């Protein structure tokens, strides 16, 4: 009889208490799942960002190293309408290699063999930083490929100028584009370039500048989580 009375006095779990426990447990599970999902998203975004940066660094480093190992006279920029998206490198031994963008992949071609250097790249562009000498020339003679300037400003230039690049301006509306040509010889009041203006347009004025630092501009592709990133650096080849 005592055991029966004890059983009657013991209280069980009510339905309300059970529902409350289940509700708290559900909230905890939702919170844990949210934290886990956010953590995984952050992890994937970070991994994707690291991959994009890594590919960009690989691309830029390969191009910079190739330019450093190439004499200035052996570098050629290729493109259309003043935008140069390909660089050709000719070594002293007569070997030729070139970097160019194919789809979203940076390709390097040498001796007929092509290999992928990096991927995930949306845009590639080459420029020349022309800050060593600038002015306005008097005339250009296509037969001799000479730029004439009567102020004798070229007499004081460094002898290594023969390996440098001259830039001519072309302005279409409000957009300035440039023609780059290598300098092959010069005097006190003239500069001889390596070819005529065969890039599809001619200078609209007589402004020019001289330099030898090649600028590499690279933009990565935009993904679902990340904005496109821009990378710009300059490199000077050896004379």
């Amino acid at each position: 009889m005592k055991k029966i009375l004890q059983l009657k006095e013991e209280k069980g779990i009510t339905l309300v208490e059970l529902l409350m426990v289940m509700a708290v447990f559900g909230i905890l599970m939702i919170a844990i799942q949210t934290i886990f999902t956010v953590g995984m998203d952050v992890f994937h975004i970070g991994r994707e960002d690291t991959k994009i940066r890594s590919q960009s660094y690989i691309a830029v480093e390969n191009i910079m190293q190739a330019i450093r190992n190439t004499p200035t006279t052996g570098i050629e920029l290729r493109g259309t309408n003043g935008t140069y998206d390909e660089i050709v490198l000719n070594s002293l031994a007569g070997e030729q290699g070139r970097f160019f963008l194919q789809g979203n992949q940076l390709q390097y071609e040498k001796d007929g063999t092509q290999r992928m250097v990096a991927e995930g790249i949306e845009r590639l562009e080459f420029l020349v930083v022309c800050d060593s000498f600038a002015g306005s020339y008097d005339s250009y003679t296509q037969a001799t490929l000479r730029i004439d300037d009567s102020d004798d400003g070229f007499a004081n230039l460094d002898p290594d100028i023969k390996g440098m690049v001259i830039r001519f301006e072309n302005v279409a509306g409000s957009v300035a584009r440039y023609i780059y040509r290598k300098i092959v010889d010069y005097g006190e009041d003239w500069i001889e370039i390596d070819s005529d203006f065969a890039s599809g347009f001619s200078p609209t004025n007589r402004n020019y500048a001289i330099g030898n630092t090649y600028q590499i501009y690279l933009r990565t592709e935009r993904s679902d989580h990340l904005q496109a990133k821009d990378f710009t650096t300059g490199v000077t080849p050896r004379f």
Side-chain angles (χ1 to χ4, degrees), residues 72-87:
T72 309
T73 53
I75 298 176
E76 177 187 353
L77 299 181
R78 293 180 181 177
T80 57
N81 296 327
T83 300
Y84 298 87
D85 53 9
E86 181 178 338
I87 189 167

Side-chain angles (χ1 to χ4, degrees), residues 66-144:
I67 291 176
R68 289 194 188 103
N69 293 330
T70 304
T72 309
T73 53
I75 298 176
E76 177 187 353
L77 299 181
R78 293 180 181 177
T80 57
N81 296 327
T83 300
Y84 298 87
D85 53 9
E86 181 178 338
I87 189 167
V88 180
L89 307 168
N90 299 282
S91 70
L92 293 175
E95 298 177 333
Q96 184 182 90
R98 68 186 184 106
F99 288 95
F100 61 97
L101 203 59
Q102 188 175 69
N104 70 339
Q105 298 178 345
L106 175 67
Q107 299 286 338
Y108 177 68
E109 185 178 61
K110 183 178 181 181
D111 299 329
T113 302
Q114 182 175 317
R115 66 177 176 87
M116 186 191 75
V117 178
E119 59 182 347
I121 300 170
E122 178 183 295
R123 182 180 172 187
L124 177 68
E125 188 173 338
F126 299 98
L127 297 171
V128 178
V129 180
C130 293
D131 54 3
S132 61
F133 189 82
S136 180
Y137 65 90
D138 297 322
S139 63
Y140 164 67
T141 305
Q142 187 169 357
T144 59

